[in-house]
Amino acid sequence: MTVQELVKKVFFVEILKGLALTLSRLFTKPVTRRYPKEKRPAALGFRGLHALVRNPATGEAKCVGCGLCAAICPSRCIYIYTKEGPDHKKVVERYEIEVLRCVYCAFCVEACPFGAVVLTPHYEYSDYSRDNLYMTKEKLLQNWDKYMGEEGYNYFDKFWNPKADHFRTPKEQPKWRKS
Amino acid sequence: MIELTIDGKRIEAEKGMTILEVAKANNIYIPHLCWDRRLKPYGGCRLCLVEVEGQRKLMAACSTPADNGMVIHTDTPNLQKARRTVLELLLVHHPLDCPVCDKAGECRLQDLAYKYGPSESRFYAERKHDPEATSALIERNPNRCILCGRCVRVCWEHQGVGAINFIGRGFKTKISPAFEETLDCEFCGQCVDACPVGALGAKPYKYRARAWFLESHDSICPYCSVGCTLTLDLREGRILRVRGVDGKGVNDGDLCGKGRFGFDFIYGDTRLKTPLVRKAGELVESTWEETLYYVANRLRDIKRQYGADSIGAIGSARAGIEDNYMLKKFMKEVIGSDNIDTSARLGYAWVLRALNDTYGINQNPIKLDSPIGKEVVLVLESDLTSTHPIFGLKFLEAKNEGTYLMVADPRKTKLARRSSKWIRIKPASGTVFLLGLINYAIREGAHLREEKEIEGIDGLIESVKPYTPEKVSELIGVDTEQFIEAASRFVNAETRLIALTVGAAENQKGYETVLAAANLLMLLGEGPDSLQVPSDYSNTLGAWLSGTRPTEGGKDLYEMLYNPGSLKALYVMGEDPLVTMPDGNTVKKTLEELEFLVVQDIRLSETAKLADVVLPAAAWSEKEGTFINSQGIPQPFPKVVSPQGDSVPDWQILRNLARVMEHDLGITELGKLREELSRIQTDRGQQRWRFSPVEVPSVAQTTTDYPIIMVTGNIMQHSGALSVMSKSLSHVLSDAFVQISPEDAERFGVKDGEFIKISSPLGEVFIKARVSDEIPEGMLFVPVHFAHARVNYLVSHSRLGNAHPTPVKIESTSTATPRR
């Protein structure tokens, strides 16, 4: 042990250094958020509670029940049941997400060819019952109204860039290109 | 043998194979859409293009024969470009509605577009907007069709129907039934499996699940005795659809409508969910415990009072061999009675008896491929494509390959339509036709050709003396010349085959028909392989082989059912004698006179409605089991769904009942049962040929009172009394009908679709009439599947297994009671 080390030990230099930082913080603005009162805004693309996108034209869910979200879901927490509706159209009978099993990877959002499922910025949904966290189609649509609403479309299109447009039939004949 | 090079690999191949076939045999991948193993090359999709060195153009691999020394490339930049262009052109009209298309995930076009195609097309045209065409079971979406023609070709070439074809030209080409009407075919669904895209789909499966949600299990079809392998697709424990998969099972991918759509009988509304016990005249729900104790006490009482011989049991031709064996064991060890039998007594037992009387064998399993390569095949008064559809297909296949298919049948069946020669004989005159052939063969000296001396030849010659061509042609109602021509072709052929079916449902053939066929074949020096008589249902042969029949002199089915009062208690397992057995009146009387009737079934059948106790059994695919098909192959099937309600597998019910009766059968699990079954030795018998003269029974003739012959039988969409439980099959046909010829309709004043009264000396029924030219004058054809039609009440039974066509009288109801 050198003399320098001995001095450091006897006079608690390290501890004093640390306390000096503490002292200095006493005079600065606190970084702590007073969470329940003060909420942190979610960043763009935050993966919170799930929602089904409402089609502004019809007011119904955009989902057509293609099942790609359920196929890609790594925790297998999406259940889709479809049936033949009136005039032989495909109708999504039930669309259910077991939120407690979700790992928030958002693969479902990326896989969806119609931009019909989304993770909202809402993150406060702990509950005392599992049943309340089993999302049905109605609950998921309500989630959209509550947490995304009008500005949701904007945010959603900008950030996730859903692939639905790629499936649209082009209006005009594309120009010939030499390949 | 030829030698060629594909992708630098030297390959040997048979001459005559196409490039695609050679590549497939050597695991070299060439994309294709319109090619099908079962069909002739078509070259419609142009995706299987390959480069052949020395050829300027790209060649279609599916229709170019491989040649010696060919050097073929299957994957070059040039080919990639060509395939991409072909796909782009296919996608010009194909809608990109994969998210709602049921085929997505298993779509061949989707896979190929993913593999080769660009994500955008250079071409743009107005997509088609034709409406979807729905029919009972098959859904057509013309927009998605890529016109590969597989459905058209499988329907005509393979299935022999030709319900659909191309209509229109150019961009307007589409696949449609004649005159763009609603599809009304036999609903085999082969086109659905053949379609590479989502243009054809099964209606019950429509929008029910995505391909990747399904789990698949292989099972064995519960309907006929061909024993096809079904691939069941389940989602969350419910069967959603059935597919035939290429290369699997005896059917090799082919399925009929019953197999493909009939699986939903297990979800039928009439399924039993709890045991029922009759209390004060009503069947009331009960618990297993209470019911089993009640059954045990009653059986014990009856045994004590009347002896074990007063108790009988009927096994099932649809339950597994395990269940039937357990019933036999229960009857033998717990009751101590040998009164046990199955419906085979009214069909297959006659066949076996006839074979024993002639060839001396006890078993004659059929071979599915037997018609192929034969010079002449004779199908005798049997609608094989209805009763055993996949076996029936082999006859069409043989015909396509050059076999002379001769059909002797009064009905214009599918085989008759596709035959080389259709002889429209009178109903129930098949035996006489065969005797005429024997007579002709003897005249031709066929019996002298063989060196082998067969016992009883003199008796045979004597017995067929009266059946001269002139006499026979008069009896069967055809020209003498026509008969002689057919006879000479049959007798002088190199190889030949006779196929027919015999069953409880069919009353125009019987023991003597098989006997005559066997005699004829022996005379011509043919062994038992040339006589193909399949057993009726999925496990008719299995029940027989597992010993569900009297083996120690007990009462057989006749004595049990057609002898009222001979039994005091009857245990019926999975059989509905009131519907499926002829002479319903006597059967009903027998059942009503019983002191105690137990019915163990999957649904509340007509017989169960008379029972004192009804026990709910688990259905096919709700339990494990084994069927022995008509080829004699034991095929186990797995349990894939959970039993409905409180139902329990048949063998477990019997095990539990034995326990309640304080008997240990020594069987606790299925493995033990199977082990015991595997120890059963079956005696196939030694071939010892002898002629057995045929006595044509005095068949009931038409009289002035009963001027028309009624023939009962099976139709394409139904099988026994089971298939009516299936909603899908009922969509096609749910009501009983009687087919009547236009001439008779005119004569008796019957209009198409009206109810007519049919009466025989045994009773009368009211059935809807269908005027059809499938039927000759003087004949009625009635399917037997529908309980409410009570057709079997008109038909007499035949103890000796002879044909027993029924002369009946018909009256139009509109003339009997004029409508106001």
Side-chain angles (χ1 to χ4, degrees):
Chain A
M1 195 181 278
T2 58
V3 178
Q4 211 174 7
E5 279 172 351
L6 192 74
V7 170
K8 268 190 181 171
K9 247 190 183 164
V10 171
F11 293 102
F12 303 112
V13 174
E14 299 290 329
I15 289 171
L16 288 174
K17 266 188 186 169
L19 283 173
L21 182 71
T22 313
L23 194 68
S24 72
R25 285 289 180 245
L26 265 179
F27 305 103
T28 55
K29 243 181 116 186
V31 290
T32 320
R33 274 169 205 275
R34 305 177 61 77
Y35 163 59
K37 287 179 190 159
E38 211 180 298
K39 278 167 195 156
R40 187 186 176 123
L44 199 63
F46 182 86
R47 301 168 189 174
L49 185 63
H50 314 69
L52 274 177
V53 180
R54 220 181 256 283
N55 189 344
T58 60
E60 294 291 311
K62 268 185 173 178
C63 174
V64 297
C66 74
L68 287 177
C69 46
I72 200 135
C73 181
S75 58
R76 295 257 185 279
C77 67
I78 305 180
Y79 307 100
I80 303 171
Y81 302 90
T82 51
K83 64 172 183 188
E84 190 176 350
D87 50 282
H88 307 297
K89 287 269 168 0
K90 189 171 183 171
V91 171
V92 183
E93 201 178 6
R94 280 151 65 199
Y95 185 104
E96 292 164 357
I97 298 182
E98 228 178 312
V99 166
L100 290 175
R101 273 178 47 204
C102 177
V103 295
Y104 299 94
C105 63
F107 279 4
C108 48
V109 187
E110 287 192 46
C112 184
F114 288 92
V117 65
V118 67
L119 296 181
T120 64
H122 180 63
Y123 50 85
E124 297 167 300
Y125 49 92
S126 50
D127 207 294
Y128 291 104
S129 145
R130 283 169 192 274
D131 291 349
N132 292 343
L133 290 169
Y134 191 84
M135 292 291 159
T136 58
K137 195 179 165 194
E138 289 70 37
K139 280 195 204 170
L140 289 165
L141 279 169
Q142 280 164 19
N143 286 350
W144 172 263
D145 296 340
K146 269 192 226 158
Y147 309 117
M148 293 296 261
E150 281 304 310
E151 77 226 64
Y153 295 111
N154 229 338
Y155 153 81
F156 187 59
D157 289 351
K158 259 187 211 152
F159 186 80
W160 290 104
N161 183 18
K163 308 285 182 293
D165 292 343
H166 297 211
F167 284 87
R168 215 163 278 155
T169 310
K171 290 275 180 297
E172 286 166 21
Q173 171 108 23
K175 283 197 181 121
W176 283 79
R177 270 173 297 166
K178 275 184 185 167
S179 59
Chain B
M1 277 312 228
I2 50 171
E3 214 179 63
L4 63 158
T5 314
I6 303 181
D7 289 345
K9 231 164 103 181
R10 293 189 76 75
I11 288 165
E12 283 199 346
E14 296 283 335
K15 200 159 172 62
M17 286 170 92
T18 60
I19 298 176
L20 186 63
E21 280 165 352
V22 176
K24 271 211 168 257
N26 290 285
N27 277 329
I28 297 167
Y29 175 73
I30 298 175
H32 56 81
L33 281 175
C34 72
W35 180 83
D36 192 305
R37 176 179 55 81
R38 301 165 291 184
L39 307 174
K40 283 181 206 138
Y42 180 66
C45 70
R46 312 313 287 177
L47 268 166
C48 61
L49 295 173
V50 289
E51 250 175 52
V52 181
E53 277 183 18
Q55 297 285 341
R56 205 161 45 83
K57 284 195 285 186
L58 301 175
M59 311 290 277
C62 71
S63 46
T64 311
D67 206 355
N68 208 10
M70 264 185 173
V71 182
I72 297 158
H73 301 283
T74 65
D75 205 12
T76 62
N78 202 12
L79 279 174
Q80 295 249 359
K81 200 177 151 193
R83 281 172 195 161
R84 196 161 55 234
T85 313
V86 168
L87 278 166
E88 271 182 294
L89 289 167
L90 281 178
L91 289 170
V92 165
H93 286 299
H94 191 84
L96 294 179
D97 63 348
C98 304
V100 289
C101 175
D102 276 325
K103 197 77 176 185
E106 49 188 8
C107 173
R108 305 274 290 278
L109 183 65
Q110 202 182 29
D111 292 348
L112 290 171
Y114 192 76
K115 192 175 159 97
Y116 295 102
S119 60
E120 49 192 298
S121 175
R122 287 174 294 163
F123 314 114
Y124 168 66
E126 182 61 29
R127 300 214 191 276
K128 291 186 206 167
H129 297 290
D130 284 341
E132 276 179 45
T134 59
S135 62
L137 289 174
I138 295 169
E139 183 82 25
R140 291 184 303 115
N141 187 324
N143 305 332
R144 292 183 193 138
C145 181
I146 54 165
L147 301 173
C148 70
R150 270 176 83 169
C151 51
V152 173
R153 287 174 299 134
V154 89
C155 190
W156 174 242
E157 275 178 36
H158 190 64
Q159 204 66 27
V161 178
I164 43 176
N165 212 329
F166 294 103
I167 277 191
R169 289 168 147 208
F171 279 176
K172 284 183 184 153
T173 312
K174 63 176 178 181
I175 307 266
S176 164
F179 310 112
E180 302 195 31
E181 283 179 355
T182 313
L183 184 65
D184 186 18
C185 59
E186 61 184 48
F187 294 104
C188 64
Q190 292 274 60
C191 52
V192 176
D193 272 3
C195 185
V197 294
L200 284 159
K203 195 161 169 61
Y205 176 66
K206 194 183 182 193
Y207 299 151
R208 293 288 294 278
R210 308 296 284 167
W212 51 86
F213 291 162
L214 302 170
E215 54 173 314
S216 298
H217 294 281
D218 286 351
S219 190
I220 303 299
C221 181
Y223 287 105
C224 80
S225 65
V226 175
C228 299
T229 298
L230 310 179
T231 300
L232 311 175
D233 283 340
L234 286 89
R235 185 183 184 194
E236 295 179 7
R238 193 182 166 95
I239 305 174
L240 289 186
R241 67 166 177 185
V242 167
R243 285 177 300 141
V245 176
D246 235 14
K248 259 188 196 168
V250 293
N251 52 324
D252 205 4
D254 290 327
L255 286 184
C256 71
K258 284 172 280 197
R260 185 172 278 110
F261 298 111
F263 65 88
D264 61 347
F265 75 90
I266 59 170
Y267 303 117
D269 296 333
T270 47
R271 279 299 299 276
L272 286 167
K273 299 207 166 74
T274 51
L276 305 173
V277 177
R278 192 171 292 279
K279 281 180 189 157
E282 288 286 314
L283 282 173
V284 283
E285 292 188 358
S286 178
T287 60
W288 268 114
E289 208 174 3
E290 192 190 325
T291 315
L292 284 185
Y293 274 98
Y294 177 67
V295 174
N297 284 337
R298 289 296 304 270
L299 285 178
R300 223 181 268 133
D301 287 350
I302 288 167
K303 189 179 163 186
R304 202 178 303 128
Q305 208 177 338
Y306 303 101
D309 200 40
S310 64
I311 303 177
I314 297 177
S316 169
R318 301 235 192 240
I321 52 172
E322 293 86 351
D323 304 317
N324 279 306
Y325 179 72
M326 197 69 180
L327 184 67
K328 173 84 178 172
K329 203 171 161 70
F330 175 82
M331 286 303 288
K332 199 169 154 191
E333 293 181 18
V334 182
I335 306 289
S337 161
D338 194 35
N339 303 336
I340 181 168
D341 212 344
T342 62
S343 62
R345 181 67 53 196
L346 294 152
Y348 203 59
W350 302 334
V351 178
L352 293 176
R353 202 177 66 188
L355 287 168
N356 195 302
D357 287 351
T358 49
Y359 286 111
I361 49 174
N362 295 332
Q363 273 182 55
N364 188 24
I366 65 156
K367 288 180 189 63
L368 278 190
D369 282 336
S370 53
I372 291 164
K374 293 280 191 305
E375 193 185 323
V376 176
V377 169
L378 171 64
V379 178
L380 193 79
E381 272 194 275
S382 301
D383 195 1
L384 277 167
T385 44
S386 291
T387 52
H388 301 80
I390 303 306
F391 186 40
L393 286 186
K394 302 287 176 189
F395 289 85
L396 294 177
E397 201 179 320
K399 161 87 191 331
N400 287 348
E401 286 175 18
T403 298
Y404 190 83
L405 178 62
M406 204 191 281
V407 176
D409 202 320
R411 292 176 62 210
K412 197 181 194 175
T413 58
K414 188 163 93 183
L415 283 178
R417 281 197 298 268
R418 297 297 302 268
S419 64
S420 320
K421 174 89 188 155
W422 173 36
I423 307 157
R424 193 167 213 176
I425 60 175
K426 279 187 183 164
S429 65
T431 315
V432 175
F433 178 71
L434 287 171
L435 292 177
L437 288 183
I438 297 177
N439 181 296
Y440 183 85
I442 290 171
R443 281 186 180 195
E444 289 279 293
H447 60 296
L448 304 173
R449 286 184 220 156
E450 296 292 322
E451 287 166 13
K452 205 161 143 190
E453 193 75 18
I454 306 170
E455 202 182 307
I457 180 79
D458 301 328
L460 184 79
I461 294 173
E462 198 58 40
S463 73
V464 298
K465 269 235 170 90
Y467 297 98
T468 57
E470 293 76 26
K471 174 89 186 300
V472 168
S473 49
E474 187 199 319
L475 283 173
I476 65 174
V478 289
D479 292 346
T480 313
E481 276 169 37
Q482 202 188 355
F483 172 75
I484 289 177
E485 191 202 322
S488 116
R489 207 176 247 277
F490 186 81
V491 169
N492 297 322
E494 285 284 312
T495 49
R496 56 184 82 69
L497 180 88
I498 298 182
L500 69 153
T501 57
V502 174
E506 296 162 308
N507 64 354
Q508 78 274 44
K509 293 152 289 182
Y511 166 72
E512 77 279 1
T513 320
V514 186
L515 205 60
N519 278 330
L520 173 61
L521 288 169
M522 280 195 299
L523 188 71
L524 299 168
E526 298 267 2
D529 283 352
S530 291
L531 181 57
Q532 299 281 313
V533 190
S535 51
D536 310 5
Y537 300 129
S538 51
N539 205 25
T540 301
L541 187 56
W544 183 266
L545 293 179
S546 59
T548 320
R549 58 192 150 113
T551 44
E552 288 149 17
K555 291 183 180 124
D556 66 10
L557 194 74
Y558 281 117
E559 286 165 67
M560 287 196 278
L561 282 184
Y562 298 108
N563 193 358
S566 71
L567 287 182
K568 296 293 170 198
L570 186 61
Y571 196 108
V572 181
M573 181 180 89
E575 184 61 70
D576 197 356
L578 263 188
V579 178
T580 55
M581 313 271 172
D583 196 1
N585 289 312
T586 315
V587 176
K588 192 165 186 192
K589 190 154 175 265
T590 309
L591 295 179
E592 276 169 351
E593 281 187 17
L594 290 171
E595 279 194 16
F596 189 52
L597 173 62
V598 185
V599 173
Q600 178 178 316
D601 210 321
I602 62 168
R603 58 170 169 165
L604 196 65
S605 61
E606 294 300 306
T607 311
K609 285 174 190 164
L610 292 178
D612 296 287
V613 174
V614 184
L615 304 172
W620 161 86
S621 87
E622 294 175 356
K623 63 175 179 193
E624 269 184 85
T626 310
F627 291 147
I628 299 184
N629 70 359
S630 55
Q631 296 188 74
I633 309 171
Q635 304 193 97
F637 57 91
K639 175 187 170 178
V640 293
V641 297
S642 48
Q644 296 244 331
D646 283 346
S647 57
V648 173
D650 290 289
W651 69 270
Q652 279 183 19
I653 298 177
L654 291 160
R655 178 199 64 188
N656 298 349
L657 187 58
R659 279 181 183 164
V660 170
M661 293 179 86
E662 287 159 22
H663 260 276
D664 185 15
L665 290 179
I667 284 167
T668 43
E669 75 222 352
L670 199 67
K672 271 219 165 121
L673 193 51
R674 285 186 169 164
E675 195 190 302
E676 255 186 53
L677 268 165
S678 67
R679 270 187 254 126
I680 294 181
Q681 299 283 334
T682 48
D683 176 24
R684 288 181 156 251
Q686 282 289 320
Q687 279 201 32
R688 201 179 69 85
W689 294 15
R690 61 183 183 277
F691 289 114
S692 182
V694 186
E695 281 173 41
V696 179
S698 51
V699 171
Q701 292 299 322
T702 51
T703 58
T704 38
D705 283 348
Y706 298 104
I708 196 162
I709 290 273
M710 184 180 83
V711 166
T712 58
N714 297 286
I715 47 170
M716 188 84 71
Q717 287 84 12
H718 284 289
S719 170
L722 177 73
S723 57
V724 287
M725 282 177 81
S726 158
K727 273 186 190 156
S728 302
L729 294 178
S730 298
H731 274 310
V732 183
L733 205 78
S734 60
D735 202 4
F737 63 89
V738 50
Q739 279 184 321
I740 181 168
S741 65
E743 294 87 1
D744 286 326
E746 184 76 41
R747 185 172 148 208
F748 295 100
V750 173
K751 282 185 219 76
D752 191 32
E754 77 167 327
F755 275 90
I756 59 170
K757 182 172 140 189
I758 307 180
S759 37
S760 85
L762 294 172
E764 56 179 50
V765 296
F766 288 87
I767 312 183
K768 208 177 252 180
R770 271 196 195 175
V771 179
S772 161
D773 60 356
E774 278 181 20
I775 305 295
E777 197 179 344
M779 175 183 173
L780 294 180
F781 177 76
V782 197
V784 292
H785 315 286
F786 307 99
H788 59 273
R790 294 156 59 97
V791 175
N792 60 324
Y793 283 74
L794 302 184
V795 186
S796 63
H797 65 273
S798 149
R799 178 168 289 263
L800 294 172
N802 297 321
H804 46 280
T806 318
V808 292
K809 175 169 72 181
I810 55 174
E811 285 164 57
S812 158
T813 47
S814 57
T815 51
T817 48
R819 237 178 264 151
R820 277 167 207 169

